[in-house]
Amino acid sequence: MDRMKGKVCVVTGGARGIGRSIVEKFSEENAEMVFALDMNKDTLDELDKQTPQNVRTFVLDVTKREEIKIFVEKVKEEFGRIDVLVNNAGITKDALLQKMQEEDWDVVIDVNLKGVFNMTQFVSNLMLENGKGSIVNISSIVGERGNIGQTNYAATKGGVISMTYTWAKELARKGANIRVNAVAPGFIKTPMTEKIPEKVLENIVSKVTLKRMGESEEVANAVLFLASDEASYVTGHVLDVNGGTVL
Ligand code: NDP
């Protein structure tokens, strides 16, 4: 399949979970190059051993603006462009409001919200120079509806949706063809959700119309659609991939 043919793609948090599925999907769809960025060198090294020629791993922390600047300059030098950015890196530090530590609030905001801002600011400069691009932000059902114990996470994922709407408007000015969309997954089987206690998961699944958790690949399929030219008239959209979850 050739749905990403000729495209230079960047996926943050690409070493495992949903990010890794997105990297694999873009690679299978014959992207020119997929950069899998992650701060976890060990999982990136594992990915490196299995990756086809059109995937390259890169250690990068989305909270470090200097690292992002250097990365984008390198890609610009070699390829002259970035066609697709997927802002996928994200973390959780859950606690009820009364028990949430200030540092847990700060770090989640820094990675999930400011990290998306950091990446998009640098990458969109290059997209604007080329007059085109597609950005897909990974939000969450929690950003749309809230969730007990996730004040910090819900704030970031709601923020990602408002940034998506804002950038869809800002980045399409002056003739630029830059589309910005978001995917809001429900509960997906990844290392992130392995931490959730069995009882809580059972309760979650009981509220899913399809009565199961989602797979990373099912999120990657939605991201692929929005990132590709098949979605050429879709921008400022939030696509739910949640099996019909009623929280
Ligand atoms: P995982 O925890 O499995 O993977 C996230 C990856 O991002 C890890 O490799 C992690 O590295 C990396 N990462 C963390 N912080 C940074 C950083 N500062 N810079 C670069 N990379 C970083 O998560 P999922 O695959 O489950 O989630 C991916 C995205 O999807 C997240 O944004 C999450 O919020 C969102 N999402 C997930 C859902 C789910 O049910 N799984 C539901 C809804 C949304 P390390 O191993 O070092 O932490």
PDB file of all heavy atoms in Angstrom, residues 82-87 116 119-121 123-125 127 133-138 164 167-168 171 178-183 223 226-227 234-237:
ATOM      1  N   ILE A  82       9.234  18.341   6.345  1.00  0.00           N
ATOM      2  CA  ILE A  82       8.514  17.338   7.151  1.00  0.00           C
ATOM      3  C   ILE A  82       7.066  17.415   6.676  1.00  0.00           C
ATOM      4  O   ILE A  82       6.455  18.491   6.713  1.00  0.00           O
ATOM      5  CB  ILE A  82       8.631  17.625   8.662  1.00  0.00           C
ATOM      6  CG1 ILE A  82      10.082  17.423   9.133  1.00  0.00           C
ATOM      7  CG2 ILE A  82       7.679  16.712   9.467  1.00  0.00           C
ATOM      8  CD1 ILE A  82      10.352  17.800  10.580  1.00  0.00           C
ATOM      9  N   ASP A  83       6.539  16.316   6.187  1.00  0.00           N
ATOM     10  CA  ASP A  83       5.175  16.315   5.653  1.00  0.00           C
ATOM     11  C   ASP A  83       4.145  16.021   6.743  1.00  0.00           C
ATOM     12  O   ASP A  83       3.020  16.510   6.682  1.00  0.00           O
ATOM     13  CB  ASP A  83       5.040  15.254   4.550  1.00  0.00           C
ATOM     14  CG  ASP A  83       5.972  15.542   3.388  1.00  0.00           C
ATOM     15  OD1 ASP A  83       5.820  16.613   2.768  1.00  0.00           O
ATOM     16  OD2 ASP A  83       6.873  14.728   3.124  1.00  0.00           O
ATOM     17  N   VAL A  84       4.534  15.180   7.707  1.00  0.00           N
ATOM     18  CA  VAL A  84       3.564  14.723   8.712  1.00  0.00           C
ATOM     19  C   VAL A  84       4.195  14.761  10.101  1.00  0.00           C
ATOM     20  O   VAL A  84       5.313  14.266  10.298  1.00  0.00           O
ATOM     21  CB  VAL A  84       3.115  13.277   8.398  1.00  0.00           C
ATOM     22  CG1 VAL A  84       2.284  12.702   9.533  1.00  0.00           C
ATOM     23  CG2 VAL A  84       2.331  13.222   7.092  1.00  0.00           C
ATOM     24  N   LEU A  85       3.484  15.349  11.041  1.00  0.00           N
ATOM     25  CA  LEU A  85       3.897  15.303  12.450  1.00  0.00           C
ATOM     26  C   LEU A  85       2.781  14.662  13.258  1.00  0.00           C
ATOM     27  O   LEU A  85       1.621  15.104  13.177  1.00  0.00           O
ATOM     28  CB  LEU A  85       4.157  16.723  12.989  1.00  0.00           C
ATOM     29  CG  LEU A  85       4.300  16.842  14.512  1.00  0.00           C
ATOM     30  CD1 LEU A  85       5.559  16.118  15.012  1.00  0.00           C
ATOM     31  CD2 LEU A  85       4.341  18.313  14.949  1.00  0.00           C
ATOM     32  N   VAL A  86       3.121  13.629  14.022  1.00  0.00           N
ATOM     33  CA  VAL A  86       2.147  13.055  14.958  1.00  0.00           C
ATOM     34  C   VAL A  86       2.650  13.308  16.373  1.00  0.00           C
ATOM     35  O   VAL A  86       3.706  12.807  16.783  1.00  0.00           O
ATOM     36  CB  VAL A  86       1.945  11.538  14.733  1.00  0.00           C
ATOM     37  CG1 VAL A  86       0.894  11.000  15.709  1.00  0.00           C
ATOM     38  CG2 VAL A  86       1.519  11.252  13.295  1.00  0.00           C
ATOM     39  N   ASN A  87       1.903  14.123  17.110  1.00  0.00           N
ATOM     40  CA  ASN A  87       2.245  14.412  18.506  1.00  0.00           C
ATOM     41  C   ASN A  87       1.596  13.349  19.385  1.00  0.00           C
ATOM     42  O   ASN A  87       0.435  13.471  19.782  1.00  0.00           O
ATOM     43  CB  ASN A  87       1.734  15.803  18.889  1.00  0.00           C
ATOM     44  CG  ASN A  87       2.597  16.901  18.316  1.00  0.00           C
ATOM     45  OD1 ASN A  87       3.817  16.918  18.524  1.00  0.00           O
ATOM     46  ND2 ASN A  87       1.989  17.817  17.584  1.00  0.00           N
ATOM     47  N   VAL A 116       3.693  19.163  23.112  1.00  0.00           N
ATOM     48  CA  VAL A 116       2.969  19.247  21.828  1.00  0.00           C
ATOM     49  C   VAL A 116       3.175  20.646  21.217  1.00  0.00           C
ATOM     50  O   VAL A 116       3.420  20.794  20.016  1.00  0.00           O
ATOM     51  CB  VAL A 116       1.461  18.946  22.043  1.00  0.00           C
ATOM     52  CG1 VAL A 116       0.666  19.168  20.765  1.00  0.00           C
ATOM     53  CG2 VAL A 116       1.291  17.507  22.530  1.00  0.00           C
ATOM     54  N   MET A 119       6.954  20.837  19.895  1.00  0.00           N
ATOM     55  CA  MET A 119       7.161  20.110  18.635  1.00  0.00           C
ATOM     56  C   MET A 119       6.492  20.859  17.478  1.00  0.00           C
ATOM     57  O   MET A 119       7.082  21.041  16.416  1.00  0.00           O
ATOM     58  CB  MET A 119       6.558  18.698  18.721  1.00  0.00           C
ATOM     59  CG  MET A 119       7.334  17.696  19.523  1.00  0.00           C
ATOM     60  SD  MET A 119       9.010  17.334  18.934  1.00  0.00           S
ATOM     61  CE  MET A 119       8.750  16.806  17.251  1.00  0.00           C
ATOM     62  N   THR A 120       5.246  21.268  17.713  1.00  0.00           N
ATOM     63  CA  THR A 120       4.484  21.876  16.616  1.00  0.00           C
ATOM     64  C   THR A 120       5.071  23.216  16.215  1.00  0.00           C
ATOM     65  O   THR A 120       5.102  23.568  15.033  1.00  0.00           O
ATOM     66  CB  THR A 120       2.994  22.011  17.020  1.00  0.00           C
ATOM     67  OG1 THR A 120       2.533  20.730  17.443  1.00  0.00           O
ATOM     68  CG2 THR A 120       2.146  22.492  15.860  1.00  0.00           C
ATOM     69  N   GLN A 121       5.572  23.971  17.208  1.00  0.00           N
ATOM     70  CA  GLN A 121       6.143  25.269  16.870  1.00  0.00           C
ATOM     71  C   GLN A 121       7.329  25.114  15.917  1.00  0.00           C
ATOM     72  O   GLN A 121       7.400  25.770  14.885  1.00  0.00           O
ATOM     73  CB  GLN A 121       6.571  26.000  18.144  1.00  0.00           C
ATOM     74  CG  GLN A 121       6.833  27.469  17.889  1.00  0.00           C
ATOM     75  CD  GLN A 121       7.101  28.222  19.172  1.00  0.00           C
ATOM     76  OE1 GLN A 121       7.866  27.784  20.019  1.00  0.00           O
ATOM     77  NE2 GLN A 121       6.459  29.361  19.317  1.00  0.00           N
ATOM     78  N   VAL A 123       8.270  22.326  14.094  1.00  0.00           N
ATOM     79  CA  VAL A 123       7.968  21.603  12.850  1.00  0.00           C
ATOM     80  C   VAL A 123       7.091  22.452  11.922  1.00  0.00           C
ATOM     81  O   VAL A 123       7.282  22.448  10.705  1.00  0.00           O
ATOM     82  CB  VAL A 123       7.314  20.231  13.153  1.00  0.00           C
ATOM     83  CG1 VAL A 123       6.845  19.563  11.871  1.00  0.00           C
ATOM     84  CG2 VAL A 123       8.302  19.323  13.878  1.00  0.00           C
ATOM     85  N   SER A 124       6.157  23.219  12.492  1.00  0.00           N
ATOM     86  CA  SER A 124       5.268  24.003  11.622  1.00  0.00           C
ATOM     87  C   SER A 124       6.034  25.116  10.907  1.00  0.00           C
ATOM     88  O   SER A 124       5.645  25.528   9.812  1.00  0.00           O
ATOM     89  CB  SER A 124       4.080  24.574  12.407  1.00  0.00           C
ATOM     90  OG  SER A 124       4.517  25.515  13.349  1.00  0.00           O
ATOM     91  N   ASN A 125       7.137  25.594  11.477  1.00  0.00           N
ATOM     92  CA  ASN A 125       7.970  26.576  10.765  1.00  0.00           C
ATOM     93  C   ASN A 125       8.433  26.012   9.439  1.00  0.00           C
ATOM     94  O   ASN A 125       8.388  26.672   8.405  1.00  0.00           O
ATOM     95  CB  ASN A 125       9.218  26.922  11.594  1.00  0.00           C
ATOM     96  CG  ASN A 125       8.942  28.059  12.546  1.00  0.00           C
ATOM     97  OD1 ASN A 125       8.076  28.889  12.293  1.00  0.00           O
ATOM     98  ND2 ASN A 125       9.673  28.085  13.649  1.00  0.00           N
ATOM     99  N   MET A 127       7.055  23.387   7.893  1.00  0.00           N
ATOM    100  CA  MET A 127       5.882  23.139   7.042  1.00  0.00           C
ATOM    101  C   MET A 127       5.446  24.429   6.344  1.00  0.00           C
ATOM    102  O   MET A 127       5.086  24.426   5.167  1.00  0.00           O
ATOM    103  CB  MET A 127       4.728  22.572   7.871  1.00  0.00           C
ATOM    104  CG  MET A 127       4.934  21.128   8.294  1.00  0.00           C
ATOM    105  SD  MET A 127       3.541  20.533   9.288  1.00  0.00           S
ATOM    106  CE  MET A 127       3.902  18.774   9.370  1.00  0.00           C
ATOM    107  N   GLY A 133       1.526  20.433   4.826  1.00  0.00           N
ATOM    108  CA  GLY A 133       1.818  19.498   5.904  1.00  0.00           C
ATOM    109  C   GLY A 133       0.544  19.008   6.561  1.00  0.00           C
ATOM    110  O   GLY A 133      -0.550  19.514   6.292  1.00  0.00           O
ATOM    111  N   SER A 134       0.716  17.991   7.388  1.00  0.00           N
ATOM    112  CA  SER A 134      -0.431  17.454   8.118  1.00  0.00           C
ATOM    113  C   SER A 134       0.024  17.121   9.544  1.00  0.00           C
ATOM    114  O   SER A 134       1.045  16.455   9.729  1.00  0.00           O
ATOM    115  CB  SER A 134      -0.942  16.193   7.401  1.00  0.00           C
ATOM    116  OG  SER A 134      -1.954  15.592   8.177  1.00  0.00           O
ATOM    117  N   ILE A 135      -0.740  17.594  10.510  1.00  0.00           N
ATOM    118  CA  ILE A 135      -0.390  17.375  11.918  1.00  0.00           C
ATOM    119  C   ILE A 135      -1.535  16.609  12.573  1.00  0.00           C
ATOM    120  O   ILE A 135      -2.708  16.969  12.384  1.00  0.00           O
ATOM    121  CB  ILE A 135      -0.160  18.724  12.638  1.00  0.00           C
ATOM    122  CG1 ILE A 135       1.008  19.478  11.975  1.00  0.00           C
ATOM    123  CG2 ILE A 135       0.111  18.514  14.137  1.00  0.00           C
ATOM    124  CD1 ILE A 135       1.180  20.915  12.444  1.00  0.00           C
ATOM    125  N   VAL A 136      -1.191  15.552  13.287  1.00  0.00           N
ATOM    126  CA  VAL A 136      -2.221  14.810  14.029  1.00  0.00           C
ATOM    127  C   VAL A 136      -1.798  14.775  15.497  1.00  0.00           C
ATOM    128  O   VAL A 136      -0.694  14.315  15.839  1.00  0.00           O
ATOM    129  CB  VAL A 136      -2.385  13.363  13.499  1.00  0.00           C
ATOM    130  CG1 VAL A 136      -3.492  12.651  14.274  1.00  0.00           C
ATOM    131  CG2 VAL A 136      -2.704  13.355  12.008  1.00  0.00           C
ATOM    132  N   ASN A 137      -2.661  15.294  16.354  1.00  0.00           N
ATOM    133  CA  ASN A 137      -2.387  15.309  17.789  1.00  0.00           C
ATOM    134  C   ASN A 137      -3.153  14.184  18.473  1.00  0.00           C
ATOM    135  O   ASN A 137      -4.345  13.997  18.210  1.00  0.00           O
ATOM    136  CB  ASN A 137      -2.817  16.647  18.394  1.00  0.00           C
ATOM    137  CG  ASN A 137      -2.039  17.808  17.807  1.00  0.00           C
ATOM    138  OD1 ASN A 137      -0.834  17.698  17.575  1.00  0.00           O
ATOM    139  ND2 ASN A 137      -2.716  18.910  17.545  1.00  0.00           N
ATOM    140  N   ILE A 138      -2.493  13.468  19.370  1.00  0.00           N
ATOM    141  CA  ILE A 138      -3.201  12.413  20.095  1.00  0.00           C
ATOM    142  C   ILE A 138      -3.748  13.001  21.396  1.00  0.00           C
ATOM    143  O   ILE A 138      -2.997  13.347  22.308  1.00  0.00           O
ATOM    144  CB  ILE A 138      -2.293  11.194  20.382  1.00  0.00           C
ATOM    145  CG1 ILE A 138      -1.622  10.689  19.089  1.00  0.00           C
ATOM    146  CG2 ILE A 138      -3.121  10.082  21.044  1.00  0.00           C
ATOM    147  CD1 ILE A 138      -2.570  10.208  18.000  1.00  0.00           C
ATOM    148  N   THR A 164      -5.494  22.112  18.708  1.00  0.00           N
ATOM    149  CA  THR A 164      -5.789  21.573  17.368  1.00  0.00           C
ATOM    150  C   THR A 164      -6.695  22.531  16.594  1.00  0.00           C
ATOM    151  O   THR A 164      -6.422  22.874  15.440  1.00  0.00           O
ATOM    152  CB  THR A 164      -6.476  20.184  17.493  1.00  0.00           C
ATOM    153  OG1 THR A 164      -5.599  19.308  18.185  1.00  0.00           O
ATOM    154  CG2 THR A 164      -6.837  19.603  16.133  1.00  0.00           C
ATOM    155  N   TRP A 167      -4.658  25.774  15.769  1.00  0.00           N
ATOM    156  CA  TRP A 167      -3.634  25.621  14.714  1.00  0.00           C
ATOM    157  C   TRP A 167      -4.265  25.330  13.359  1.00  0.00           C
ATOM    158  O   TRP A 167      -3.725  25.718  12.327  1.00  0.00           O
ATOM    159  CB  TRP A 167      -2.646  24.506  15.092  1.00  0.00           C
ATOM    160  CG  TRP A 167      -1.852  24.830  16.320  1.00  0.00           C
ATOM    161  CD1 TRP A 167      -1.566  26.077  16.802  1.00  0.00           C
ATOM    162  CD2 TRP A 167      -1.248  23.902  17.226  1.00  0.00           C
ATOM    163  NE1 TRP A 167      -0.819  25.971  17.950  1.00  0.00           N
ATOM    164  CE2 TRP A 167      -0.610  24.652  18.232  1.00  0.00           C
ATOM    165  CE3 TRP A 167      -1.173  22.507  17.285  1.00  0.00           C
ATOM    166  CZ2 TRP A 167       0.086  24.057  19.283  1.00  0.00           C
ATOM    167  CZ3 TRP A 167      -0.477  21.906  18.323  1.00  0.00           C
ATOM    168  CH2 TRP A 167       0.144  22.675  19.316  1.00  0.00           C
ATOM    169  N   ALA A 168      -5.407  24.630  13.347  1.00  0.00           N
ATOM    170  CA  ALA A 168      -6.086  24.390  12.065  1.00  0.00           C
ATOM    171  C   ALA A 168      -6.395  25.746  11.417  1.00  0.00           C
ATOM    172  O   ALA A 168      -6.242  25.923  10.208  1.00  0.00           O
ATOM    173  CB  ALA A 168      -7.368  23.589  12.280  1.00  0.00           C
ATOM    174  N   LEU A 171      -2.658  27.842  10.814  1.00  0.00           N
ATOM    175  CA  LEU A 171      -1.685  27.311   9.855  1.00  0.00           C
ATOM    176  C   LEU A 171      -2.245  27.171   8.443  1.00  0.00           C
ATOM    177  O   LEU A 171      -1.565  26.711   7.542  1.00  0.00           O
ATOM    178  CB  LEU A 171      -1.114  25.973  10.354  1.00  0.00           C
ATOM    179  CG  LEU A 171      -0.353  26.054  11.685  1.00  0.00           C
ATOM    180  CD1 LEU A 171       0.094  24.674  12.154  1.00  0.00           C
ATOM    181  CD2 LEU A 171       0.867  26.980  11.566  1.00  0.00           C
ATOM    182  N   ILE A 178      -1.842  23.430   5.422  1.00  0.00           N
ATOM    183  CA  ILE A 178      -1.435  22.619   6.575  1.00  0.00           C
ATOM    184  C   ILE A 178      -2.703  22.245   7.346  1.00  0.00           C
ATOM    185  O   ILE A 178      -3.409  23.120   7.845  1.00  0.00           O
ATOM    186  CB  ILE A 178      -0.434  23.377   7.474  1.00  0.00           C
ATOM    187  CG1 ILE A 178       0.805  23.758   6.649  1.00  0.00           C
ATOM    188  CG2 ILE A 178      -0.056  22.524   8.695  1.00  0.00           C
ATOM    189  CD1 ILE A 178       1.804  24.631   7.376  1.00  0.00           C
ATOM    190  N   ARG A 179      -2.958  20.955   7.407  1.00  0.00           N
ATOM    191  CA  ARG A 179      -4.152  20.471   8.114  1.00  0.00           C
ATOM    192  C   ARG A 179      -3.757  20.023   9.523  1.00  0.00           C
ATOM    193  O   ARG A 179      -2.675  19.462   9.725  1.00  0.00           O
ATOM    194  CB  ARG A 179      -4.785  19.297   7.361  1.00  0.00           C
ATOM    195  CG  ARG A 179      -5.271  19.655   5.960  1.00  0.00           C
ATOM    196  CD  ARG A 179      -5.927  18.474   5.251  1.00  0.00           C
ATOM    197  NE  ARG A 179      -5.015  17.371   5.019  1.00  0.00           N
ATOM    198  CZ  ARG A 179      -4.973  16.253   5.736  1.00  0.00           C
ATOM    199  NH1 ARG A 179      -5.845  16.061   6.714  1.00  0.00           N
ATOM    200  NH2 ARG A 179      -4.105  15.312   5.468  1.00  0.00           N
ATOM    201  N   VAL A 180      -4.630  20.308  10.474  1.00  0.00           N
ATOM    202  CA  VAL A 180      -4.354  19.910  11.856  1.00  0.00           C
ATOM    203  C   VAL A 180      -5.593  19.223  12.426  1.00  0.00           C
ATOM    204  O   VAL A 180      -6.681  19.802  12.461  1.00  0.00           O
ATOM    205  CB  VAL A 180      -3.991  21.130  12.745  1.00  0.00           C
ATOM    206  CG1 VAL A 180      -3.480  20.658  14.110  1.00  0.00           C
ATOM    207  CG2 VAL A 180      -2.942  22.010  12.080  1.00  0.00           C
ATOM    208  N   ASN A 181      -5.428  17.984  12.838  1.00  0.00           N
ATOM    209  CA  ASN A 181      -6.540  17.197  13.381  1.00  0.00           C
ATOM    210  C   ASN A 181      -6.089  16.484  14.649  1.00  0.00           C
ATOM    211  O   ASN A 181      -4.896  16.452  14.969  1.00  0.00           O
ATOM    212  CB  ASN A 181      -6.992  16.169  12.339  1.00  0.00           C
ATOM    213  CG  ASN A 181      -7.642  16.830  11.136  1.00  0.00           C
ATOM    214  OD1 ASN A 181      -8.752  17.358  11.230  1.00  0.00           O
ATOM    215  ND2 ASN A 181      -6.958  16.826   9.988  1.00  0.00           N
ATOM    216  N   ALA A 182      -7.053  15.912  15.348  1.00  0.00           N
ATOM    217  CA  ALA A 182      -6.714  15.145  16.556  1.00  0.00           C
ATOM    218  C   ALA A 182      -7.455  13.816  16.538  1.00  0.00           C
ATOM    219  O   ALA A 182      -8.512  13.683  15.912  1.00  0.00           O
ATOM    220  CB  ALA A 182      -7.102  15.936  17.807  1.00  0.00           C
ATOM    221  N   VAL A 183      -6.866  12.850  17.219  1.00  0.00           N
ATOM    222  CA  VAL A 183      -7.537  11.575  17.458  1.00  0.00           C
ATOM    223  C   VAL A 183      -7.726  11.469  18.965  1.00  0.00           C
ATOM    224  O   VAL A 183      -6.793  11.747  19.735  1.00  0.00           O
ATOM    225  CB  VAL A 183      -6.691  10.395  16.919  1.00  0.00           C
ATOM    226  CG1 VAL A 183      -7.252   9.067  17.392  1.00  0.00           C
ATOM    227  CG2 VAL A 183      -6.663  10.434  15.393  1.00  0.00           C
ATOM    228  N   VAL A 223      -5.169   7.514  12.624  1.00  0.00           N
ATOM    229  CA  VAL A 223      -4.105   8.514  12.433  1.00  0.00           C
ATOM    230  C   VAL A 223      -3.648   8.492  10.975  1.00  0.00           C
ATOM    231  O   VAL A 223      -3.444   9.546  10.360  1.00  0.00           O
ATOM    232  CB  VAL A 223      -2.910   8.227  13.384  1.00  0.00           C
ATOM    233  CG1 VAL A 223      -1.742   9.154  13.079  1.00  0.00           C
ATOM    234  CG2 VAL A 223      -3.351   8.367  14.840  1.00  0.00           C
ATOM    235  N   LEU A 226      -6.079  10.453   8.770  1.00  0.00           N
ATOM    236  CA  LEU A 226      -5.992  11.909   8.922  1.00  0.00           C
ATOM    237  C   LEU A 226      -4.675  12.462   8.390  1.00  0.00           C
ATOM    238  O   LEU A 226      -4.623  13.566   7.848  1.00  0.00           O
ATOM    239  CB  LEU A 226      -6.175  12.298  10.395  1.00  0.00           C
ATOM    240  CG  LEU A 226      -7.585  12.090  10.949  1.00  0.00           C
ATOM    241  CD1 LEU A 226      -7.610  12.314  12.454  1.00  0.00           C
ATOM    242  CD2 LEU A 226      -8.585  13.031  10.268  1.00  0.00           C
ATOM    243  N   ALA A 227      -3.594  11.683   8.551  1.00  0.00           N
ATOM    244  CA  ALA A 227      -2.275  12.156   8.112  1.00  0.00           C
ATOM    245  C   ALA A 227      -2.147  12.119   6.596  1.00  0.00           C
ATOM    246  O   ALA A 227      -1.425  12.920   6.001  1.00  0.00           O
ATOM    247  CB  ALA A 227      -1.181  11.297   8.747  1.00  0.00           C
ATOM    248  N   VAL A 234     -10.134  17.500   5.336  1.00  0.00           N
ATOM    249  CA  VAL A 234     -10.476  17.373   6.765  1.00  0.00           C
ATOM    250  C   VAL A 234      -9.454  18.160   7.580  1.00  0.00           C
ATOM    251  O   VAL A 234      -8.258  17.849   7.559  1.00  0.00           O
ATOM    252  CB  VAL A 234     -10.447  15.888   7.211  1.00  0.00           C
ATOM    253  CG1 VAL A 234     -10.868  15.775   8.682  1.00  0.00           C
ATOM    254  CG2 VAL A 234     -11.345  15.024   6.333  1.00  0.00           C
ATOM    255  N   THR A 235      -9.907  19.164   8.280  1.00  0.00           N
ATOM    256  CA  THR A 235      -9.013  19.863   9.216  1.00  0.00           C
ATOM    257  C   THR A 235      -9.816  20.408  10.392  1.00  0.00           C
ATOM    258  O   THR A 235     -11.024  20.651  10.273  1.00  0.00           O
ATOM    259  CB  THR A 235      -8.205  20.977   8.502  1.00  0.00           C
ATOM    260  OG1 THR A 235      -7.122  21.377   9.370  1.00  0.00           O
ATOM    261  CG2 THR A 235      -9.060  22.205   8.159  1.00  0.00           C
ATOM    262  N   GLY A 236      -9.153  20.524  11.547  1.00  0.00           N
ATOM    263  CA  GLY A 236      -9.838  20.998  12.751  1.00  0.00           C
ATOM    264  C   GLY A 236     -10.846  19.989  13.262  1.00  0.00           C
ATOM    265  O   GLY A 236     -11.849  20.333  13.880  1.00  0.00           O
ATOM    266  N   HIS A 237     -10.567  18.701  13.029  1.00  0.00           N
ATOM    267  CA  HIS A 237     -11.511  17.649  13.438  1.00  0.00           C
ATOM    268  C   HIS A 237     -10.918  16.789  14.562  1.00  0.00           C
ATOM    269  O   HIS A 237      -9.719  16.512  14.565  1.00  0.00           O
ATOM    270  CB  HIS A 237     -11.841  16.765  12.234  1.00  0.00           C
ATOM    271  CG  HIS A 237     -12.887  15.736  12.535  1.00  0.00           C
ATOM    272  ND1 HIS A 237     -14.211  16.064  12.750  1.00  0.00           N
ATOM    273  CD2 HIS A 237     -12.804  14.399  12.700  1.00  0.00           C
ATOM    274  CE1 HIS A 237     -14.889  14.971  13.018  1.00  0.00           C
ATOM    275  NE2 HIS A 237     -14.055  13.942  13.004  1.00  0.00           N
TER     276      HIS A 237
END
